[in-house]
Amino acid sequence: SSILRPTILSVLRNEDLKEMLESNKESLKLEAMKRVVGLIAKGKNASELFPAVVKNVANKNIELKKLVYVYLVRYAEEQQDLALLSISTFQRALKDPNQFIRASALRVLSSIRVPIIVPIMMLAIKESAADMSPYVRKTSAHAIQKLYSLDPDQKEQLIEVIEKLLKDKSTLVAGSVVMAFEEVCPDRIDLIHKNYRKLCNLLVDVEEWGQVVIISMLTRYARTQFISPWKEGAMFDENNEKAFYDSESEEKKDQMEAKTYIMDPDHRLLLRNTKPLLQSRNTAVVMSVAQLYWHLAPKHEVTIVTKSLVRLLRSHREVQYIVLQNIATMSIQRKGMFEPFMKSFYVRSTDSTHIKTLKLEILTNLANEANISTILREFQTYVKSQDKAFAAATIQAIGRCATNISEVTDTCLNGLVLLLSNRDETVVAESVVVIKKLLQTQPTQHSEIIKHMAKLFDNITVPMARASILWLMGEYCERVPKIAPDVLRKMAKTFTAEEDIVKLQIVNLAAKLYLTNSKQTKLLTQYILNLGKYDQNYDIRDRTRFIRQLIVPSEKSGALNKYARRILLAPKPAPVLESAFKDRDRYQLGTLSHSLNTKASGYQELSDWPAVAPDQSVRNVEVIEPVRNLPSSPTSYHRYNSYMPDSTSGSESEEESSEESEKTSSDSGKSSSGSEQESSSESESQQKKKKKTKKAPQKKSKPAAADRYSEIPPVRWTLRASFFFPVNLACPDVTTPSFGPVKTYELLHHMTGKGLSAKYHFPRQPCLYQPSMVAVQVVLTNSSDHSLEEIHIGDRNPASLNLHCFNTIERLEPEASVTVSMGIDFSDSTQAANFQLCTKDDQFSVSIQPAVGELFMPITMTEQDFSKEQGKLLGMNETSETIAMATANTSSQAISKQVLSVANVGVVSSTQNDIHRFAGRTVSSGALVLVSLEMKESSSALLTINTEKSVMASMLLRDLKQALAQA
Amino acid sequence: MIHSLFLINHSGDIFLEKHWKSVIGRSVCDYFFEAKEKAVQPENVPPVLQTPHHYLISVYRDKLFFLSVVQTEVPPLFVIEFLHRVADTVQDYFGECSEGVIKDNVVTVYELLEEMLDNGFPLATESNVLKEMIRPPTILRSVVNTLTGGSNVGDTLPTGQLSSIPWRRAGVKYTNNEAYFDVIEEIDAILDKSGTTVFAEIQGVIEACVRLTGMPDLTLSFMNPRLLDDMSFHPCVRFKRWESERILSFIPPDGNFTLMTYHVSSQNVVALPVYVKQNISFLETGSCGRLDITIGPKQTMGKTVEGLTVTVHMPKTVLSANLTATQGNYTYNLATKVLVWDIGKLNPQKLPNLRGSLSLQAGAPRPEENPALDITLKIQQLAISGLKVSRLDMYGEKYKPFKGVKYLTKAGKFQVRT
């Protein structure tokens, strides 16, 4: 039982949370949601609460709503059917006059990873990409990437949206759309041409994260569009010299051609406009500018990035790590760039090991004849470091300095030899290995060192070091003719106790001595070969066998024997000691691939410069941009300086505002007054928005603020929407469904259903599957003691019944329940929909009979429109009756509540206190249904229903009469 | 870009996870734990790791690992910078960045993370914008919230995000208008055994605390701007104006922020405020050593050196220290082998000295290298480079603000090799 307890507790807790979520108190709901999000943050599963949570999606409390969004995005993928219920809330919010509400709706909608809503997302993205608010457009750029990862088949359509958004002039949008471009279609360089200059000019004012993405993309772009500023420059110098000596006119001609390298003005524009960003506080921005200069700037200009990169070394450890990696790559090719800052790479004992190693790498790269003595002195300190891995790396570095700078080779070698008497084994071993490599480069002069090493041999235990010494003995055995055989003698004694790599070198040494000095070593060699023959390691046995055949002449050995000496004692090329960062710049600097030195997935290659520049005119923009025409340098910082409001409000045309920003230039006084105006108009519009919500939606007499946002005429909307969507649903006049008390009906009792019980209710939301369907939500519960399998919908009656089934439920555990949604086309009649609810073994006939009120969809209308429409539906189409009202129902609030509980219609705001109006459409045919209630004296009222569906009218009248009479 | 974030404490427990795209299982962190195990010291964990399907980029701050998972190519600094911003934001909101504080405010932190990234791409990282959307907790507010059911999520919308000055909140109001600037300079130096300067430079930062009503437009100028060699600015600083006039012109964010960081031109000789005489030696026999450190004032420009401490990372074989300090206290931590001598104020008449013996593990070889000394110190009312603010002016608002400038010199990475 003790094992069970935690699960019981968590179940209880979930139950509690569910109760809290379903309570009427906001504070309880909020508390519950906070706990749920707390669970998610801890990585605990809270998916069971989905139905309870999703009900609160339309809640007014912003924090609660946001938490519900967080939950929804997290679990929508697992609970697709239920998640669909929330979609309509977001669809409505997408048309909200407030740009933040639109943006957040799009953000959540596009984060719900449910494939069925792909068309809805596509539509929403297209609409939002044309939104007046740059913030909404920015959000739509983010949504593009989400949709693309959900359904890559949408690529072509999404590219169209990207193309459109790339034209956007807002700095808010630029970074996000380029990010979308990079994820969806990084190869479509052609989309950039026309926007190239604009992006360059906007760059300083884009937010810092966007800058990084844009700079990286433009680096790639530039490498495909401009010719190299490097080679030509080099040729230029060469030719100059030639010309001095050579007076032939033909040569001069060539030279003239070579000289004609002029940097494309667009190339220059990019370099100029990125330069100020080196002063950014964001290290990623600085790095991205540095890599841009590295890959695009003429060689002599690259040095301007040095100081900024060195500055980054003051930043966090992780930043240092990445920056040092990049400096390491750069410093191999361009020592000069960092040499003046050499001391900034001095190692502190408190640096972490990988930082130390990178600094060491850079110092080694920077070493030259002039500074080597300083560097070696510094290295001497490092060799003594307590961090032995670092000390070993330093020895490697000394070795590299020794091979690269011939002046110090001897000094280094002597220094290393001194280290051979070091107390620490790793240091000694590393020294031996490095000395071995160094000796190979110039063996003639160093028999003394080899002798010294032979003396030390007994004290060295690290296998790699022992193997290295043995190899040296063998290779140069003729220089130490007396010592080598003696070493071999010692090794013969310890052979069996040595490590494998040492054994291999013993065999090697024996073979070489046998060839050069067989007199003294013949027997020893045979002894060792015999030991090797029976070694446990097959590598050693193989090698022994091979060596024996090679060196000992016998009948079988054949021709090879003659060449044994030439094979074993061939002069060997000296190993090259080089940096691990050599050629790392095959990867674009600053990238993940560069950091890892392997190609990361999604890495975009940087192409080589084209030999001939592609057409430059592709970047010309037809409409003459003011930005482009003004003389280059100051314009690009204009906005940066003047903080021109970046067309924040939708009403202003963007062209206008960008032009304005050019005009105002750096006049700060003027601009700040400009931004004041901006904020005041913003607050004004908010006030108007508030007014509007109080007034409730009115179509014609919309306040000015709403006009600013309703940029798309409804007609166009309808046409476009109809591709995916029911006209009457997507039409903007469909309003918030009336959230009255939800009535639940029984579909199947658990006694009849052999344990399976089903209940249904009408969620009163537009049905996603088909426009003419009514959405029905069914809760299936397994009350039996065994699990039920394959729950699905079987035959239906009438057979023509248009029904959208829920997906088959593979398995429902005992006591578990699941909520599914279906759509039923009732064809505007209250005739029951009969169908069979099946499990694997049983079939149950069930029927859903809708109340007439559920067959409507609410719509918004103004009072004037209402009267106008009412005027068209007179005579046959009008049903009215004077009814008695319960006294409790006389307030307008109570009336609305009662009416909405009966019928899914929308409230029409009224200027008259005694007349209440409601409007809706029938779901299937879209016929208008207008309800008006005129209050009379002594709690009676005239109820009038105008609709061409007269049967429905009379049924609705009956239901309403009953409801209003009840207290 | 950034797919998921895991917050991991010192002992390797994941205590918060957030996914901006589909959920990635915790098991991905196993690769990180493996690397952490290998690295021994948390500082030595490589910031970028590769796993079969993901890349892990992490930062280590305040004894916490911020581990992000990415799936495709992304500039690693982009992620690292962002992770540090997350830590900064937590610090900014709750006063400290620790496991306890994050656990206590888990919902707020989660809401912040939700706002900071959309689909893995940074959306709002400006503290002023975030604070408009999600209010930082105060004791008063949390009491009120529990009573009224109110929330921390602002019902106003983050207008700052739309404006071209996203760093400043709209409608700022104060009864006391004040602007304070702290010019803080740090000396980075390496001195060798004999006391010669191997390397020394000055890095500076101007921290600002501005509480001004409305939309003030400030300019700040220096007496000697030529001293400044390389700098980085808060986005609010008009770069062009600096280029042409060497004047910092900006509309400040509301509250605390870093206005600029700078590096003092290396042509100037760096004045070192103290000198260190030291002698640490380990004897060949007898498993013991001697230590003798004296610190004296060098170029202090007539100011007092305060907050002086000396930290020594001893070799592992040093078992204990038996020392006497003429001033201040010393502690030797046996587990970490760190000796800290807290001196306090430096008295030029009576130089502080620490001397005594060290005992080493018997039989262990004599340490190869003498440990380096790390020095920290503070000098109030002095910018060691000589940088001086000449004036601060405000435009755009009518009231008269209270203005103040403070100078402080600190030791940065100040190390003495022995």
Side-chain angles (χ1 to χ4, degrees):
Chain A
S1 69
S2 62
I3 301 163
L4 278 173
R5 196 167 297 144
T7 43
I8 291 168
L9 274 177
S10 80
V11 165
L12 271 179
R13 205 195 279 156
N14 272 350
E15 281 305 314
D16 288 346
L17 287 175
K18 212 183 248 172
E19 215 165 85
M20 286 164 84
L21 285 169
E22 279 164 357
S23 81
N24 290 325
K25 275 195 182 166
E26 293 280 275
S27 55
L28 273 182
K29 286 185 178 184
L30 190 60
E31 185 54 39
M33 261 335 279
K34 281 186 175 172
R35 287 196 200 169
V36 171
V37 169
L39 288 176
I40 295 176
K42 280 178 210 133
K44 303 236 166 71
N45 186 7
S47 61
E48 273 178 48
L49 295 163
F50 203 96
V53 171
V54 85
K55 272 179 203 160
N56 294 306
V57 75
N59 196 292
K60 292 252 159 41
N61 181 317
I62 293 189
E63 183 168 26
L64 180 62
K65 191 156 41 178
K66 276 188 176 169
L67 294 174
V68 172
Y69 286 0
V70 165
Y71 181 92
L72 196 62
V73 171
R74 170 67 180 77
Y75 285 114
E77 218 168 357
E78 295 171 26
Q79 306 249 358
Q80 307 214 348
D81 270 337
L82 280 173
L84 294 179
L85 295 175
S86 63
I87 304 293
S88 60
T89 315
F90 299 121
Q91 284 178 288
R92 270 194 309 281
L94 282 173
K95 287 169 210 87
D96 196 280
N98 184 318
Q99 49 182 336
F100 287 100
I101 295 184
R102 275 177 297 176
S104 90
L106 181 61
R107 229 184 115 184
V108 182
L109 179 68
S110 55
S111 302
I112 294 176
R113 286 168 294 271
V114 176
I116 198 171
I117 65 161
V118 164
I120 300 176
M121 273 166 76
M122 194 70 213
L123 187 69
I125 288 172
K126 283 186 176 169
E127 290 298 333
S128 307
D131 201 287
M132 267 302 170
S133 153
Y135 185 63
V136 176
R137 298 201 296 275
K138 181 190 180 73
T139 316
S140 80
H142 289 184
I144 289 173
Q145 304 160 51
K146 300 184 212 169
L147 179 53
Y148 180 64
S149 63
L150 181 64
D151 182 6
D153 291 343
Q154 304 294 322
K155 188 172 176 177
E156 288 313 310
Q157 284 197 61
L158 287 175
I159 291 177
E160 281 169 32
V161 184
I162 289 174
E163 193 173 0
K164 194 170 154 196
L165 282 174
L166 276 171
K167 295 194 183 110
D168 207 301
K169 291 195 180 64
S170 164
T171 49
L172 263 182
V173 183
S176 302
V177 66
V178 171
M179 189 63 227
F181 172 85
E182 292 283 74
E183 291 226 336
V184 179
C185 52
D187 46 339
R188 288 291 302 275
I189 282 288
D190 58 296
L191 297 180
I192 302 301
H193 293 321
K194 291 264 181 272
N195 303 298
Y196 173 82
R197 290 169 190 167
K198 184 197 67 194
L199 284 173
C200 287
N201 286 318
L202 285 183
L203 196 59
V204 241
D205 292 324
V206 172
E207 35 78 43
E208 37 196 8
W209 309 106
Q211 286 172 344
V212 177
V213 178
I214 295 175
I215 291 172
S216 151
M217 186 276 288
L218 289 178
T219 309
R220 244 177 345 106
Y221 177 86
R223 282 290 280 260
T224 63
Q225 298 300 317
F226 307 127
I227 51 168
S228 167
W230 304 336
K231 278 180 199 150
E232 276 74 10
M235 247 162 79
F236 177 89
D237 286 336
E238 256 176 40
N239 282 353
N240 227 359
E241 232 168 89
K242 258 188 203 163
F244 190 80
Y245 299 108
D246 213 322
S247 56
E248 264 179 67
S249 58
E250 235 172 276
E251 282 273 3
K252 263 188 179 165
K253 234 185 202 173
D254 287 353
Q255 177 200 336
M256 289 306 281
E257 274 165 34
K259 259 187 181 174
T260 52
Y261 171 73
I262 298 165
M263 189 183 273
D264 188 316
D266 286 326
H267 190 168
R268 179 49 69 197
L269 177 74
L270 178 59
L271 292 174
R272 193 193 310 119
N273 285 6
T274 46
K275 192 181 157 198
L277 297 179
L278 284 172
Q279 258 63 54
S280 173
R281 63 165 171 177
N282 187 316
T283 58
V285 173
V286 177
M287 187 66 232
S288 71
V289 177
Q291 68 81 26
L292 180 132
Y293 265 77
W294 179 258
H295 291 292
L296 298 181
K299 296 283 186 201
H300 61 277
E301 285 178 43
V302 182
T303 40
I304 66 158
V305 307
T306 313
K307 256 188 211 170
S308 306
L309 284 178
V310 172
R311 184 186 72 229
L312 299 190
L313 297 179
R314 283 279 298 175
S315 190
H316 299 284
R317 187 181 56 91
E318 297 84 5
V319 174
Q320 286 182 40
Y321 175 73
I322 302 292
V323 173
L324 286 171
Q325 279 189 325
N326 283 286
I327 292 179
T329 303
M330 290 176 165
S331 59
I332 290 174
Q333 291 181 30
R334 301 286 306 273
K335 274 184 207 229
M337 263 177 89
F338 295 96
E339 214 206 309
F341 296 90
M342 193 175 78
K343 289 186 174 174
S344 300
F345 304 105
Y346 279 8
V347 172
R348 292 185 163 77
S349 59
T350 38
D351 286 334
S352 65
T353 306
H354 48 249
I355 300 284
K356 283 182 191 163
T357 323
L358 282 168
K359 282 186 172 174
L360 192 64
E361 179 74 40
I362 293 165
L363 286 174
T364 315
N365 290 342
L366 293 181
N368 59 25
E369 287 86 350
N371 61 24
I372 184 68
S373 56
T374 324
I375 289 183
L376 282 180
R377 206 178 314 133
E378 188 65 18
F379 282 179
Q380 277 174 14
T381 327
Y382 303 165
V383 167
K384 285 186 255 160
S385 167
Q386 292 173 41
D387 182 346
K388 290 305 162 199
F390 174 59
T394 308
I395 292 164
Q396 290 278 2
I398 294 173
R400 258 177 65 202
C401 288
T403 46
N404 294 344
I405 303 162
S406 50
E407 282 89 339
V408 292
T409 315
D410 288 344
T411 328
C412 289
L413 209 46
N414 290 334
L416 290 172
V417 171
L418 285 180
L419 287 178
L420 290 176
S421 40
N422 193 290
R423 218 179 306 238
D424 190 85
E425 206 162 71
T426 19
V427 172
V428 176
E430 203 65 36
S431 308
V432 169
V433 175
V434 173
I435 290 172
K436 177 199 130 191
K437 286 181 185 169
L438 283 180
L439 287 184
Q440 258 182 285
T441 52
Q442 35 188 199
T444 41
Q445 313 137 25
H446 298 296
S447 42
E448 280 311 310
I449 295 175
I450 299 173
K451 279 179 199 157
H452 183 68
M453 287 169 82
K455 276 182 208 156
L456 286 172
F457 187 78
D458 291 342
N459 299 323
I460 293 172
T461 52
V462 176
M464 191 60 211
R466 287 175 78 84
S468 292
I469 295 177
L470 289 174
W471 184 88
L472 274 176
M473 292 290 146
E475 194 63 22
Y476 307 113
C477 52
E478 283 161 307
R479 294 181 201 288
V480 281
K482 289 186 181 146
I483 296 169
D486 193 50
V487 171
L488 187 67
R489 180 186 58 81
K490 283 187 197 162
M491 292 324 292
K493 277 200 241 169
T494 58
F495 183 89
T496 46
E498 298 289 345
E499 288 282 329
D500 289 346
I501 43 167
V502 184
K503 283 180 183 168
L504 284 177
Q505 288 310 326
I506 297 171
V507 174
N508 235 345
L509 174 65
K512 285 173 182 168
L513 281 176
Y514 183 88
L515 290 175
T516 53
N517 187 2
S518 61
K519 236 188 218 167
Q520 277 187 304
T521 57
K522 192 176 177 183
L523 286 172
L524 266 176
T525 305
Q526 271 172 356
Y527 175 69
I528 286 166
L529 289 179
N530 279 335
L531 285 175
K533 193 177 174 183
Y534 298 107
D535 197 87
Q536 284 184 322
N537 186 307
Y538 58 80
D539 235 8
I540 293 164
R541 293 199 299 274
D542 275 0
R543 176 71 63 88
T544 314
R545 197 173 305 129
F546 162 74
I547 293 286
R548 188 191 292 274
Q549 293 303 323
L550 190 62
I551 60 171
V552 186
S554 69
E555 282 154 33
K556 284 182 211 159
S557 57
L560 219 50
N561 188 247
K562 285 181 212 154
Y563 302 105
R565 201 186 159 89
R566 280 169 72 185
I567 290 171
L568 283 174
L569 289 165
K572 299 174 182 69
V576 188
L577 299 173
E578 63 183 18
S579 166
F581 284 83
K582 195 164 180 276
D583 293 333
R584 270 246 194 147
D585 78 333
R586 64 177 177 274
Y587 298 113
Q588 191 174 347
L589 291 189
T591 59
L592 184 60
S593 304
H594 175 267
S595 191
L596 293 166
N597 202 20
T598 52
K599 198 165 165 179
S601 71
Y603 173 74
Q604 297 288 324
E605 292 282 351
L606 207 56
S607 74
D608 274 336
W609 298 100
V612 183
D615 186 10
Q616 302 179 8
S617 66
V618 287
R619 285 183 293 276
N620 292 342
V621 184
E622 292 86 347
V623 187
I624 299 157
E625 270 187 295
V627 181
R628 198 49 210 145
N629 281 355
L630 285 166
S632 47
S633 71
T635 46
S636 45
Y637 321 131
H638 258 184
R639 297 193 195 167
Y640 194 51
N641 285 320
S642 60
Y643 305 117
M644 267 320 292
D646 186 44
S647 63
T648 42
S649 77
S651 64
E652 289 170 309
S653 104
E654 281 167 7
E655 296 293 331
E656 233 176 68
S657 76
S658 77
E659 248 172 38
E660 214 174 72
S661 76
E662 295 312 324
K663 270 184 254 158
T664 36
S665 73
S666 58
D667 183 346
S668 61
K670 209 171 170 184
S671 74
S672 68
S673 77
S675 60
E676 258 173 35
Q677 261 174 21
E678 194 57 33
S679 60
S680 72
S681 79
E682 191 64 34
S683 64
E684 196 179 43
S685 76
Q686 278 193 349
Q687 276 175 6
K688 281 175 186 165
K689 271 175 243 155
K690 272 183 207 157
K691 261 187 225 163
K692 198 194 160 217
T693 42
K694 269 182 215 157
K695 271 196 202 161
Q698 283 186 358
K699 203 174 180 186
K700 284 275 157 59
S701 61
K702 261 184 210 162
D707 273 343
R708 298 165 76 182
Y709 294 107
S710 62
E711 56 288 341
I712 302 147
V715 187
R716 232 177 78 211
W717 225 119
T718 320
L719 281 177
R720 275 216 225 150
S722 59
F723 286 109
F724 300 101
F725 253 77
V727 175
N728 55 347
L729 290 191
C731 199
D733 62 0
V734 172
T735 54
T736 325
S738 38
F739 285 109
V742 178
K743 283 182 207 155
T744 309
Y745 310 90
E746 181 141 282
L747 188 61
L748 181 66
H749 192 264
H750 68 92
M751 294 304 283
T752 20
K754 298 186 181 169
L756 177 68
S757 72
K759 288 182 175 162
Y760 70 94
H761 67 268
F762 298 95
R764 293 195 172 179
Q765 282 170 344
C767 180
L768 289 161
Y769 312 114
Q770 255 179 51
S772 58
M773 284 183 175
V774 175
V776 182
Q777 217 175 315
V778 182
V779 182
L780 299 163
T781 310
N782 183 356
S783 328
S784 68
D785 52 358
H786 57 276
S787 60
L788 297 166
E789 290 178 353
E790 289 177 31
I791 304 171
H792 63 280
I793 288 175
D795 294 338
R796 49 198 87 168
N797 178 33
S800 60
L801 178 66
N802 194 359
L803 189 81
H804 183 96
C805 312
F806 53 86
N807 294 333
T808 302
I809 295 158
E810 295 301 342
R811 196 177 169 87
L812 191 61
E813 299 295 340
E815 300 304 323
S817 66
V818 60
T819 311
V820 292
S821 54
M822 34 191 307
I824 303 174
D825 187 350
F826 289 105
S827 313
D828 290 350
S829 90
T830 49
Q831 207 188 345
N834 301 311
F835 55 90
Q836 284 186 319
L837 195 58
C838 312
T839 61
K840 198 178 175 188
D841 314 303
D842 297 292
Q843 296 171 344
F844 313 103
S845 291
V846 293
S847 78
I848 293 179
Q849 178 158 32
V852 66
E854 304 296 346
L855 302 177
F856 304 128
M857 288 303 293
I859 58 172
T860 327
M861 282 191 147
T862 61
E863 208 172 340
Q864 288 94 324
D865 283 342
F866 188 93
S867 312
K868 205 169 102 196
E869 293 296 334
Q870 202 175 25
K872 293 181 195 163
L873 295 165
L874 296 173
M876 283 270 288
N877 296 332
E878 185 173 283
T879 320
S880 68
E881 197 181 323
T882 306
I883 57 164
M885 302 272 286
T887 40
N889 284 345
T890 44
S891 74
S892 64
Q893 229 178 350
I895 290 172
S896 300
K897 197 182 148 206
Q898 288 297 347
V899 173
L900 296 183
S901 73
V902 170
N904 188 15
V905 288
V907 182
V908 176
S909 63
S910 170
T911 48
Q912 294 149 288
N913 277 336
D914 52 348
I915 302 185
H916 303 280
R917 298 183 174 88
F918 303 88
R921 280 180 195 278
T922 62
V923 171
S924 292
S925 60
L928 267 183
V929 180
L930 308 172
V931 179
S932 56
L933 186 69
E934 199 180 337
M935 304 300 290
K936 302 274 183 193
E937 282 152 33
S938 66
S939 65
S940 71
L942 179 67
L943 179 64
T944 313
I945 297 173
N946 301 73
T947 176
E948 49 194 34
K949 300 271 178 188
S950 49
V951 183
M952 293 177 88
S954 56
M955 290 166 83
L956 181 60
L957 189 76
R958 191 194 61 209
D959 288 357
L960 285 175
K961 186 178 155 186
Q962 202 182 351
L964 290 166
Q966 273 171 10
Chain B
M1 294 195 122
I2 298 167
H3 206 116
S4 301
L5 172 71
F6 294 95
L7 298 192
I8 300 167
N9 68 14
H10 203 58
S11 50
D13 305 317
I14 303 170
F15 64 95
L16 188 139
E17 62 180 79
K18 170 91 184 97
H19 308 272
W20 284 275
K21 303 182 181 191
S22 50
V23 178
I24 292 177
R26 287 181 166 206
S27 56
V28 75
C29 299
D30 293 347
Y31 295 98
F32 172 78
F33 294 135
E34 212 173 281
K36 182 172 171 270
E37 199 75 14
K38 219 193 265 172
V40 188
Q41 297 288 322
E43 287 86 3
N44 284 344
V45 181
V48 182
L49 289 170
Q50 188 175 14
T51 80
H53 301 290
H54 303 94
Y55 306 98
L56 307 178
I57 300 179
S58 61
V59 305
Y60 181 66
R61 273 264 303 253
D62 304 310
K63 297 194 173 155
L64 299 177
F65 286 101
F66 291 72
L67 174 72
S68 70
V69 184
V70 298
Q71 269 183 320
T72 50
E73 174 62 60
V74 59
L77 269 188
F78 186 98
V79 182
I80 288 169
E81 177 84 27
F82 176 78
L83 293 176
H84 280 296
R85 291 281 173 96
V86 172
D88 291 342
T89 307
V90 171
Q91 169 90 36
D92 186 29
Y93 261 71
F94 310 112
E96 65 168 298
C97 181
S98 68
E99 187 186 358
V101 139
I102 292 172
K103 275 182 167 170
D104 289 346
N105 297 283
V106 67
V107 174
T108 312
V109 173
Y110 206 81
E111 283 169 338
L112 280 170
L113 291 174
E114 181 75 20
E115 294 298 340
M116 289 179 87
L117 284 186
D118 180 18
N119 195 38
F121 190 78
L123 194 62
T125 47
E126 279 297 334
S127 144
N128 266 274
V129 171
L130 286 170
K131 280 183 177 163
E132 257 185 289
M133 291 191 280
I134 298 156
R135 298 196 199 106
T138 59
I139 295 167
L140 180 67
R141 190 172 302 125
S142 58
V143 171
V144 171
N145 285 350
T146 25
L147 292 177
T148 61
S151 76
N152 285 328
V153 171
D155 39 12
T156 51
L157 297 154
T159 44
Q161 199 152 26
L162 294 177
S163 80
S164 51
I165 40 172
W167 55 84
R168 189 168 180 89
R169 295 192 286 134
V172 181
K173 260 199 185 131
Y174 289 103
T175 41
N176 293 325
N177 289 293
E178 17 180 52
Y180 298 106
F181 294 87
D182 291 1
V183 179
I184 302 164
E185 294 194 338
E186 292 192 355
I187 308 166
D188 287 359
I190 300 176
L191 306 183
D192 75 4
K193 226 176 195 157
S194 57
T196 342
T197 312
V198 177
F199 165 80
E201 62 176 21
I202 299 169
Q203 307 278 350
V205 57
I206 301 183
E207 298 282 0
C209 174
V210 177
R211 300 176 191 283
L212 296 175
T213 307
M215 271 292 163
D217 198 331
L218 304 179
T219 59
L220 188 137
S221 54
F222 299 100
M223 307 272 268
N224 39 9
R226 271 159 190 260
L227 281 175
L228 308 178
D229 180 34
D230 175 63
M231 46 264 134
S232 74
F233 299 114
H234 188 276
C236 71
V237 175
R238 296 176 177 102
F239 181 68
K240 181 88 193 315
R241 196 85 192 273
W242 172 259
E243 282 283 86
S244 57
E245 301 169 58
R246 298 273 138 176
I247 283 176
L248 293 175
S249 159
F250 55 99
I251 294 177
D254 182 41
N256 296 316
F257 65 99
T258 302
L259 181 62
M260 74 181 290
T261 63
Y262 59 88
H263 175 251
V264 174
S265 162
S266 43
Q267 274 99 22
N268 298 48
V269 179
V270 176
L272 295 179
V274 293
Y275 69 88
V276 181
K277 267 195 201 160
Q278 45 73 29
N279 182 19
I280 301 177
S281 59
F282 298 106
L283 301 182
E284 199 63 59
T285 51
S287 313
C288 68
R290 292 253 163 76
L291 178 143
D292 189 343
I293 306 172
T294 310
I295 297 191
K298 210 171 168 188
Q299 287 157 290
T300 57
M301 320 284 171
K303 309 268 181 192
T304 324
V305 178
E306 300 168 39
L308 197 58
T309 66
V310 178
T311 308
V312 190
H313 291 261
M314 287 291 178
K316 289 201 177 63
T317 47
V318 176
L319 288 180
S320 66
N322 184 13
L323 310 167
T324 19
T326 58
Q327 186 187 340
N329 303 312
Y330 81 92
T331 52
Y332 183 62
N333 186 324
L334 296 177
T336 56
K337 309 282 178 194
V338 177
L339 173 76
V340 181
W341 177 27
D342 188 348
I343 302 165
K345 255 186 203 164
L346 181 64
N347 179 0
Q349 270 73 52
K350 191 168 171 279
L351 300 182
N353 170 275
L354 179 73
R355 81 171 83 189
S357 64
L358 305 167
S359 66
L360 278 75
Q361 203 176 316
R366 188 169 70 101
E368 197 69 34
E369 184 196 32
N370 286 341
L373 317 178
D374 288 301
I375 314 277
T376 63
L377 57 86
K378 260 195 276 186
I379 305 171
Q380 303 280 1
Q381 290 312 322
L382 172 74
I384 196 90
S385 69
L387 187 76
K388 274 227 147 58
V389 172
S390 104
R391 56 185 298 140
L392 176 75
D393 297 301
M394 183 182 72
Y395 304 94
E397 295 288 340
K398 296 221 169 63
Y399 55 84
K400 278 252 178 302
F402 184 82
K403 302 174 282 193
V405 179
K406 229 167 63 179
Y407 298 92
L408 178 68
T409 295
K410 290 199 280 190
K413 296 172 179 168
F414 197 114
Q415 197 161 74
V416 182
R417 292 175 178 166
T418 60

